[in-house]
Amino acid sequence: MDDGEWAKLIAAGDERERSRFVTTFHGQIYRWLRYLCASADAAQELTQDTFVEALQAISRFEGRASISTWLHRVAYYRYTHWLRERRRDLQWLAPLEAADATIDTAGGSNWESLCLKEALAQLSEEHRDTFVLHYVQQLSVLEVAVVLSVPAGTVQSRLFHARKRLRELLRDGLDGQCSGRSAADPRPNDNKSVHEVIIS
Amino acid sequence: MSCERSSENADKQTGNRTGLLSWWHRLRCDVCRRTFAVDRMIERGSAQMRATVAPPDSLARVLAAVGCAPSSQFYASDRATREALARSLALVGIGIFVTALATPQYPDSALFGGSQFTLKSAAGAAGFAALLGLFWYLKPVAAALLEGVPGLISYRKVCLIASAAGAAILWMVPLLNGHVSPPAAIALGIGLNAVLALASTILGGYLVEQAQRIGASGRLGAFHQAAGHLAGMAAPLLGFGAGHFVAPPVAATLLLGFGAVAAFLFPGSALVVHRPEGIKAQLTAIKQARELWQVALMLVLVVLPSNFDSLLHSQQVERGFTDAQHTQLNSIAQAATLVAILAYSVLCKRVRLQSLLPAGIIGNAVGTLLYLGYGDPIGFPTAIAIEILNGLAAALIMVTLFDLAVRAVPRQCAYLGYAILMSVHNLALSMSNVVTASLRLPFPSVVMLSALCSTFALAVVVRLPSALISRREGEPGSGSLPALPAV
């Protein structure tokens, strides 16, 4: 059964296929939104909204991309909408921003992931999103291009610059400037100080 | 501070570092060493970020929000997983059993039963067996062909059925001709190995795809091994032993039966694999997949010193064991192997690979040392005890390595990645037999050298990424750890 046939079954209201659809992609979409939002509650809410919207719109799925890519696109649309609303609200609630916009430690407190998250937080939004879609969500360049609605060349360029910048930032981390590790201790540690790093 | 060879300055993708020259350069160049460390941090950090899991009640809440019964998550996930696992186990189990059974091996195959094939020296026999299995070392070529010819990968099912049918026809040649000359038998043997290696490559890639999708690398890897050993036990019973000409019709029937099973069970051509990356991108991804090469190295370090079958056979003959006793010892070792594999399919859900791997390597070395018993006159019961204990120990490490191999193959490179690892394994196995048979050393020295060398793999275990070996089977984050793909 290819994605197009599966989408038709889901659109026809087959409960088993709807459950399978949600069960198959739930973890992947939650993980991505959790990273984008940096908040477990917001990620849960957006994951829910994404699947509700996707199931309503699945009859319009044309099969030009895989169903996973299409779902990422829906999730990204929900996220940008949420972000716009949140930014508007934060104009009036500025003091809350600092408290909320922290890098969460989802994905474990391993030294490498903490340093990588800290470095990613210093990239521009578009570079960060592209990098996470490609390396963490494991979407191909073409799939990332579909999700972000940009040409594949732009994705390649963003990935190149994101990697270049990450190398610079993480090289500093290797010199002991990464919060996940002290300069004196070359081994990864479980210091949780990076929990409080603020997104710039 | 800069370096012209730094992958960053060379405007290259991370991971351009696998060559020996790059490694040598990195030893001396601080800039490149630091770039390498940073790239590794990015890879590992990304892998750790992939391990993020949703809260336990999250899925139930989403299902409720979309109007599905909360209990349907168990129905959908468990049932779908069970169905996929059952289908994969059936297809891989039957496929590996039949292909292993139909593979002509020297000296135990019906094709090489005549006295004209009797090679006196252990080294000669090992060399002939290694030559016969040539295509089992060239599995990556088959995988590259499948992935490289546009659209061919969508017709894996057709290729699998054609391979089975081709092998069935080749097996019938001796029966139709009545007599097979030695050169014709060798050509038949190599031809059969070529078509069966193709079928095995397809089955291996399918196994990896399914194992990574449903998170069952340990169970599927164990089943793969068990089916192969079961074939080894069944071969003499089904008349595949040297000199028995019952084998051709049995092999042809089994192969055609397997073709029918594959036609029924294998996903059809409609299920086109989504492959935005071509063969070049896959090769790049594989080149950069550090963990895949680490596993390949481990396979070499464990397998290369451990196979001294030809030498052992000579030693058994020297100690006065008959051919019947030799066959019995082989069957006992296979049975012990099966027990260890079955135990592993339970063990892999409870114990992490990071504990199983060192335990398996040390156990394998100790099991090998038991063959020191052949240094002096030895009774048949003692030989049985050695085969049982060594069978258990050797199987445990092999099945653990197969589990690791399935996990280490990058996504979207299932066929090519697994074919490379299996070819490395097959080549190491054959070369091991040739090398140990050619050594001008007393048997106990070969045994001690073998046990010692196999422990070198411990040095690789400590360098494996924790994301690869810190999970038990079925825990979140199952699947591969791909290298950073080409951009």
Side-chain angles (χ1 to χ4, degrees):
Chain A
M1 182 164 55
D2 64 11
D3 280 357
E5 289 172 25
W6 191 24
K8 279 179 194 161
L9 280 176
I10 297 167
D14 185 328
E15 186 173 339
R16 183 182 158 185
E17 293 305 324
R18 285 164 71 91
S19 294
R20 193 154 78 90
F21 172 70
V22 175
T23 313
T24 305
F25 297 113
H26 167 265
Q28 200 181 6
I29 295 299
Y30 175 87
R31 180 176 64 201
W32 188 40
L33 289 168
R34 175 79 200 263
Y35 178 74
L36 289 175
C37 306
S39 153
D41 289 342
Q44 174 61 38
E45 190 187 328
L46 282 176
T47 306
Q48 210 162 298
D49 291 350
T50 299
F51 279 101
V52 170
E53 192 170 319
L55 286 169
Q56 282 169 357
I58 201 155
S59 56
R60 297 200 295 274
F61 174 72
E62 294 170 359
R64 283 184 297 182
S66 72
I67 212 160
S68 158
T69 309
W70 177 77
L71 193 60
H72 272 85
R73 173 93 196 108
V74 176
Y76 194 65
Y77 174 77
R78 290 300 319 162
Y79 162 70
T80 48
H81 185 70
W82 171 85
L83 195 64
R84 255 198 318 273
E85 282 184 348
R86 193 163 172 274
R87 277 179 182 154
R88 197 181 55 216
D89 293 346
L90 285 175
Q91 284 178 347
W92 307 100
L93 299 166
L96 289 179
E97 184 176 21
D100 252 1
T102 55
I103 293 177
D104 72 292
T105 55
S109 56
N110 291 305
W111 176 64
E112 286 98 343
S113 68
L114 293 178
C115 285
L116 182 60
K117 282 179 186 176
E118 188 178 337
L120 278 169
Q122 295 177 58
L123 298 186
S124 71
E125 201 174 305
E126 48 195 28
H127 284 160
R128 196 166 57 227
D129 293 349
T130 309
F131 183 92
V132 173
L133 274 171
H134 189 57
Y135 290 121
V136 181
Q137 294 295 93
Q138 298 184 279
L139 268 55
S140 69
V141 169
L142 290 176
E143 287 172 327
V144 176
V146 171
V147 173
L148 299 179
S149 297
V150 294
T154 306
V155 173
Q156 287 178 326
S157 158
R158 283 182 188 176
L159 285 172
F160 172 77
H161 289 292
R163 261 198 322 267
K164 192 177 172 193
R165 180 75 183 124
L166 278 176
R167 276 176 176 158
E168 289 165 7
L169 292 166
L170 289 170
R171 197 172 294 142
D172 294 341
L174 283 177
D175 292 337
Q177 292 171 27
C178 170
S179 311
R181 170 179 178 265
S182 71
D185 178 14
R187 303 285 308 160
N189 63 30
D190 290 330
N191 189 338
K192 304 293 192 296
S193 61
V194 79
H195 291 201
E196 300 307 318
V197 176
I198 307 297
I199 290 176
S200 58
Chain B
M1 194 168 60
S2 67
C3 170
E4 284 181 4
R5 286 186 64 121
S6 163
S7 55
E8 181 179 292
N9 290 347
D11 200 23
K12 290 275 172 65
Q13 163 71 4
T14 55
N16 179 29
R17 55 183 190 236
T18 49
L20 196 62
L21 283 176
S22 303
W23 173 79
W24 176 244
H25 172 76
R26 210 167 50 241
L27 274 180
R28 295 171 293 131
C29 174
D30 186 50
V31 176
C32 289
R33 207 164 44 242
R34 283 152 62 87
T35 304
F36 174 73
V38 166
D39 285 352
R40 206 164 60 164
M41 191 193 286
I42 295 174
E43 279 178 39
R44 289 186 175 180
S46 302
Q48 287 158 9
M49 284 170 72
R50 276 197 291 278
T52 306
V53 288
D57 62 336
S58 172
L59 178 58
R61 285 166 63 186
V62 175
L63 280 167
V66 299
C68 294
S71 60
S72 63
Q73 61 172 302
F74 304 110
Y75 174 73
S77 61
D78 289 359
R79 182 161 177 181
T81 304
R82 272 203 309 271
E83 281 174 4
L85 186 62
R87 174 201 281 248
S88 313
L89 287 177
L91 189 59
V92 170
I94 296 170
I96 298 294
F97 177 80
V98 173
T99 48
L101 199 65
T103 301
Q105 289 171 342
Y106 181 81
D108 297 326
S109 174
L111 266 185
F112 309 106
S115 57
Q116 65 272 34
F117 284 105
T118 308
L119 292 166
K120 297 277 185 207
S121 76
F128 183 67
L131 175 72
L132 205 63
L134 176 70
F135 281 94
W136 290 95
Y137 326 133
L138 298 176
K139 286 174 84 172
V141 176
L145 191 74
L146 279 169
E147 298 280 9
V149 177
L152 188 60
I153 193 69
S154 300
Y155 295 94
R156 294 162 297 170
K157 181 174 171 173
V158 178
C159 293
L160 191 61
I161 295 167
S163 300
I169 292 166
L170 287 175
W171 260 112
M172 289 305 284
V173 171
L175 203 67
L176 297 174
N177 271 12
H179 172 73
V180 185
S181 63
I186 294 168
L188 263 180
I190 292 177
L192 270 167
N193 276 326
V195 284
L196 290 172
L198 174 64
S200 168
T201 304
I202 297 170
L203 283 169
Y206 172 75
L207 180 149
V208 173
E209 272 182 352
Q210 294 301 308
Q212 290 185 351
R213 193 168 71 83
I214 58 183
S217 58
R219 280 168 290 172
L220 275 168
F223 212 67
H224 179 284
Q225 288 263 295
H229 286 285
L230 211 56
M233 288 174 74
L237 303 174
L238 290 172
F240 278 80
H244 294 83
F245 274 85
V246 190
V250 176
T253 311
L254 284 172
L255 283 160
L256 291 174
F258 166 59
V261 169
F264 181 68
L265 281 180
F266 204 87
S269 302
L271 198 126
V272 176
V273 183
H274 185 61
R275 293 200 195 287
E277 295 92 359
I279 184 71
K280 278 186 188 170
Q282 283 196 37
L283 286 170
T284 310
I286 281 178
K287 191 179 156 199
Q288 294 166 1
R290 188 170 55 95
E291 54 282 345
L292 184 133
W293 296 111
Q294 283 175 326
V295 174
L297 179 62
M298 280 196 71
L299 280 168
V300 171
L301 290 175
V302 172
V303 176
L304 196 59
S306 63
N307 182 12
F308 45 84
D309 279 355
S310 298
L311 200 61
L312 179 64
H313 191 214
S314 305
Q315 194 71 9
Q316 283 172 341
V317 171
E318 204 175 292
R319 295 285 169 237
F321 291 144
T322 61
D323 278 352
Q325 283 177 322
H326 173 71
T327 310
Q328 279 175 12
L329 287 174
N330 269 350
S331 301
I332 289 164
Q334 301 275 16
T337 300
L338 273 180
V339 171
I341 290 169
L342 286 175
Y344 184 81
S345 61
V346 180
L347 211 60
C348 65
K349 292 190 214 165
R350 292 175 169 77
V351 187
R352 294 185 172 91
L353 283 189
Q354 62 194 23
S355 309
L356 283 169
L357 280 167
I361 291 167
I362 293 166
N364 181 44
V366 173
T368 304
L369 285 176
L370 293 175
Y371 282 108
L372 286 174
Y374 278 92
D376 300 315
I378 182 175
F380 191 58
T382 315
I384 290 176
I386 290 174
E387 290 303 332
I388 292 173
L389 292 172
N390 182 63
L392 291 170
L396 187 65
I397 184 60
M398 281 322 298
V399 78
T400 311
L401 283 175
F402 268 57
D403 185 352
L404 186 66
V406 174
R407 293 185 191 198
V409 173
R411 279 189 190 158
Q412 301 290 349
C413 307
Y415 289 80
L416 196 54
Y418 198 62
I420 288 171
L421 290 178
M422 289 303 100
S423 289
V424 167
H425 168 261
N426 295 336
L427 190 62
L429 204 61
S430 288
M431 287 304 108
S432 170
N433 203 12
V434 174
V435 169
T436 51
S438 311
L439 287 174
R440 304 276 177 220
L441 289 172
F443 183 74
S445 305
V446 173
V447 170
M448 288 182 72
L449 197 64
S450 166
L452 178 71
C453 292
S454 67
T455 57
F456 293 165
L458 285 170
V460 185
V461 174
V462 294
R463 298 188 65 83
L464 285 170
S466 64
L468 195 68
I469 55 173
S470 61
R471 274 183 293 105
R472 299 180 191 92
E473 177 135 326
E475 282 187 345
S478 55
S480 58
L481 277 179
L484 299 179
V487 181

